[in-house]
């Protein structure tokens, strides 16, 4: 986490899959948000790449439509300035055929002058990561550049190992940015800041004081237009082995020596190595009613749209503390909540509420920090209740928050790898999930707008999910 200048060096940003869904929904809007915030380089070009024969003007219109649909609106920022720096290189890009990309990059370098930073962003399906990486090496675009891989980085331990091998044949580890946008959220970063910077929590962050940790990401949305993608992944790959386990590592890691990239990443990935492999007894998977009727879903699909897991961290700090992970589609509410539940004092006070000492982090939107405590109820009686105070992270300070994708894109432009994943931790994540991935349980059907299968509540008993209780 650098405290230096916030303006990156001149950059050529190559967006592979530039007209695809991920770029349309997330990457292009995030890039424009940086333009609004004044956080882009003084000179830059964004080159969309794809198989189609798309003119620069057509690509510029595509970007404008992305912003109109997903925001921020073009009218909210310097659209004319941004539009003038957008290019498109068609004809695809492979080791044997670079299409027009090399010519477009050369022209951009001539326009900018000097030696601009080259960033490769892979907004493509995971199956394309390997061939594109090999093509970057074959056409001599790797030296000194940076590469961003979307998740999932592989779909199994075997595919992860192969992709990691290809990546390191082309790039040094310091050039590689494996993005997990949950790590870019303001409230996620506050997990380690509140813990390490406040004596109120620093000395109580262990098994003696903490009863359990819940990482709960329910969604009200269905799979909608992403059915074909979801059929090839499911909730375990899409959420559990990526976002939820990374968040668990953020909570569980040992204190780093500093908040710089290597210190944070070392401790985050080190604690992932302590995650106990999941068994079938640790997991409940579900599928919402009506999923199989979705266009693009096979009639007998066993793809899970819900997963709940009880996971253990096998080290001295967390011995015996359950990490309870849950996510699913078509649930009753949408949240992105991390809850650290502290043990009740012994003996405590007579008739006090139990389980009400909770430090919560709501990751959605601008983010919130929530603290629930036992307090005396107002009045003449000595009745005890609980109350929650909330710190809204996007409004409590004079500096505005950035959406997670924008924050991480800026980190890539600045060369800051603090909030990106490393291969050692990712390799162990696949080992943690290998049993349930290699032999997926049969999903339990659950009603839409519910909290998922009732088996998920039984899985964590005598604990309970704070959301939906």
């Amino acid at each position: 986490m650098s405290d230096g200048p916030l303006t990156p060096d001149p950059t050529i940003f190559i967006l592979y899959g530039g007209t695809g869904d991920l770029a349309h929904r997330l990457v292009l809007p995030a890039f424009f948000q940086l333009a609004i915030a004044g956080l882009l380089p003084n000179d830059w070009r964004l080159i969309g790449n794809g198989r189609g024969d798309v003119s620069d003007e057509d690509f510029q219109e595509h970007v404008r439509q992305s912003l109109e649909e997903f925001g921020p609106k073009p009218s909210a920022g310097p659209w004319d300035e941004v539009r003038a720096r957008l290019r498109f290189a068609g004809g695809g890009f492979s080791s044997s055929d670079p299409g027009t990309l090399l010519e477009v990059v050369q022209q951009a370098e001539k326009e900018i002058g000097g030696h601009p930073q080259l960033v490769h962003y892979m907004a493509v399906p995971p199956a394309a990561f390997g061939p594109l990486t090999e093509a970057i090496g074959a056409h001599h675009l790797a030296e000194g550049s940076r590469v961003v891989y979307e998740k999932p980085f592989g779909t199994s331990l075997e595919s992860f190992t192969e992709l990691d091998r290809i990546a390191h044949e082309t790039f040094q580890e310091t050039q590689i940015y494996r993005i997990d946008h949950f790590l870019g959220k303001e409230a996620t970063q506050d997990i380690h800041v509140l813990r390490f910077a406040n004596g109120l929590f620093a000395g109580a962050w262990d098994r003696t004081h903490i009863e359990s940790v819940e990482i709960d990401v329910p969604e009200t949305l269905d799979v909608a237009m992403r059915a074909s993608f979801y059929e090839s992944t499911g909730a375990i790959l899409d959420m559990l082995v990526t976002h939820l386990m990374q968040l668990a590592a953020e909570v569980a890691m040992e204190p780093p020596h500093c908040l710089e990239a290597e210190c944070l990443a070392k401790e985050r990935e080190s604690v992932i190595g302590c995650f106990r492999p999941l068994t079938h007894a640790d997991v409940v998977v579900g599928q919402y009613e009506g999923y199989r009727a979705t266009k693009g879903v096979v009639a007998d699909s066993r793809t899970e749209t819900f997963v709940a897991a009880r996971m253990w961290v096998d080290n001295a700090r967390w011995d015996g503390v359950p990490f309870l992970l849950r996510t699913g589609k078509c649930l009753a509410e949408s949240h992105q909540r991390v809850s650290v539940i502290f043990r009740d004092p012994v003996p405590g006070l007579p008739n006090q509420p139990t389980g009400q000492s909770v430090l919560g982090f709501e990751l959605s939107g601008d983010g919130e920090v929530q603290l629930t405590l036992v307090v005396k109820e107002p009045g003449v009686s000595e009745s005890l209740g609980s109350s929650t105070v909330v710190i809204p992270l996007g409004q409590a300070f004079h500096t505005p928050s950035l959406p997670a994708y924008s924050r991480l894109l800026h980190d890539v432009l600045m060369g800051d790898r603090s909030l990106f994943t490393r291969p050692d931790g990712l390799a162990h994540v696949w080992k943690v999930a290998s049993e349930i991935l290699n032999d997926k349980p049969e999903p339990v059907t659950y009603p839409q707008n519910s909290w998922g299968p009732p088996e998920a509540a039984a899985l964590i008993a005598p604990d309970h999910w704070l959301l939906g209780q």
Side-chain angles (χ1 to χ4, degrees):
M1 292 183 171
S2 174
D3 291 325
L6 297 178
T7 302
D9 294 331
T11 300
I12 296 173
F13 190 93
I14 303 174
L15 182 57
Y16 300 93
T19 57
D21 179 66
L22 179 63
H24 186 63
R25 290 185 298 107
L26 292 172
V27 184
L28 293 169
F31 205 87
F32 190 58
Q33 185 71 56
L34 291 179
I36 293 173
L39 293 173
L40 287 178
N42 292 326
D43 203 359
W44 58 271
R45 299 293 184 275
L46 187 152
I47 303 172
N49 174 252
R51 290 190 293 269
D53 184 15
V54 178
S55 68
D56 289 348
E57 293 76 16
D58 288 341
F59 181 59
Q60 291 162 7
E61 175 59 19
H62 172 81
V63 175
R64 189 191 67 78
Q65 292 175 1
S66 295
L67 301 180
E68 289 288 355
E69 184 174 357
F70 295 102
K73 303 287 187 184
S75 58
W79 167 242
D80 289 339
E81 180 183 337
V82 168
R83 178 180 60 190
R85 300 173 191 240
L86 301 174
R87 305 286 185 269
F88 193 82
F93 185 64
S94 66
S95 296
S96 59
D97 184 0
T100 64
L101 182 59
L102 298 182
E103 290 91 333
V104 177
V105 169
Q106 289 169 2
Q107 180 60 34
E109 289 175 335
K110 186 182 299 184
E111 292 171 3
I112 294 175
H115 300 282
Q117 176 67 54
L118 196 59
V119 173
H120 305 277
Y121 195 108
M122 298 200 181
V124 294
F129 291 172
L132 279 175
T133 300
E134 293 172 331
I136 291 168
H139 296 293
H140 310 292
L141 294 177
E143 185 176 355
S145 69
R146 298 168 187 158
V147 61
V148 184
Y149 293 101
E150 277 286 343
K151 60 95 178 171
F153 193 78
T155 55
S156 65
L157 179 59
E158 292 73 25
S159 63
F160 161 80
T161 302
E162 176 64 9
L163 177 55
D164 195 53
R165 179 190 66 78
I166 293 172
H168 283 105
E169 285 181 350
T170 304
F171 300 101
Q172 300 294 318
E173 174 61 25
T174 54
Q175 296 175 267
I176 299 173
Y177 295 74
R178 302 170 192 83
I179 198 167
D180 185 325
H181 74 273
F182 269 57
L183 294 182
K185 292 175 177 287
E186 286 287 348
T188 302
Q189 297 165 62
D190 259 310
I191 293 174
H192 59 250
V193 172
L194 260 71
R195 172 187 170 187
F196 299 134
N198 292 278
L200 178 64
F201 303 116
W205 212 262
D206 58 31
R207 61 186 298 270
T208 303
H209 301 91
I210 294 174
E211 182 176 275
S212 61
V213 176
E214 291 188 15
I215 300 173
D216 208 353
V217 186
E219 298 180 74
T220 57
L221 297 175
D222 59 19
V223 299
M225 302 301 291
R226 302 176 70 223
S228 58
F229 164 80
Y230 214 79
E231 274 291 276
S232 64
T233 55
I236 295 173
L237 280 179
D238 187 40
M239 294 292 294
L240 182 67
V241 300
T242 51
H243 302 320
L244 302 194
M245 288 193 181
Q246 288 296 328
L247 289 174
E250 191 73 15
V251 174
M253 68 179 175
E254 292 297 306
H257 295 298
C258 65
L259 294 182
E260 293 301 319
E262 289 307 310
C263 290
L264 276 173
K266 177 183 176 182
E267 297 303 338
R268 191 186 296 122
E269 307 310 313
S270 177
V271 80
I272 289 176
C274 299
F275 289 2
R276 186 185 304 175
L278 295 170
T279 69
H280 284 77
D282 301 314
V283 174
V284 169
V285 299
Q287 184 185 94
Y288 65 78
E289 292 176 352
Y291 173 77
R292 293 180 179 180
T294 305
K295 183 179 179 180
V297 174
V298 297
D300 59 349
S301 173
R302 296 179 67 246
T303 299
E304 76 285 353
T305 62
F306 172 99
V307 60
R310 177 180 288 217
M311 189 179 73
W312 306 94
V313 181
D314 289 332
N315 63 16
R317 181 180 298 274
W318 297 106
D319 183 35
V321 177
F323 280 66
L324 310 173
L325 317 178
R326 180 174 68 167
T327 187
K329 301 286 188 182
C330 284
L331 296 180
E333 297 175 13
S334 288
H335 291 278
Q336 298 172 356
R337 185 75 57 82
V338 175
S339 301
V340 180
I341 303 162
F342 290 86
R343 297 185 184 278
D344 295 322
V346 178
L349 295 176
N351 302 316
Q352 76 170 56
T354 59
Q356 296 300 307
S357 297
V358 181
L359 177 62
F361 302 85
E362 177 62 43
L363 311 184
S364 58
D366 289 335
E368 294 179 348
V369 177
Q370 306 162 346
L371 181 61
T372 301
L373 299 170
V374 174
V375 296
K376 177 187 173 296
E377 293 182 353
V380 297
S381 73
E382 293 299 320
S383 299
L384 303 182
S386 64
S387 184
T388 300
V389 293
V390 175
I391 301 174
L393 297 176
Q395 303 164 19
F397 301 91
H398 69 279
T399 53
S401 63
L402 277 176
Y405 257 93
S406 297
R407 166 61 196 266
L408 293 174
L409 278 182
H410 184 259
D411 284 357
V412 172
L413 295 173
M414 295 297 297
D416 186 342
R417 298 175 68 242
S418 305
L419 301 176
F420 295 83
T421 58
R422 297 200 329 184
D424 44 357
L426 289 175
H428 189 73
V429 162
W430 292 116
K431 295 175 183 177
V432 172
S434 61
E435 179 175 320
I436 58 173
L437 284 172
N438 294 335
D439 181 19
K440 278 193 177 183
E442 183 71 30
V444 181
T445 302
Y446 62 92
Q448 296 189 33
N449 303 315
S450 70
W451 283 100
E455 288 84 350
L459 173 72
I460 69 167
D463 295 310
H464 62 274
W465 300 104
L466 294 182
L467 293 174
Q469 60 174 308

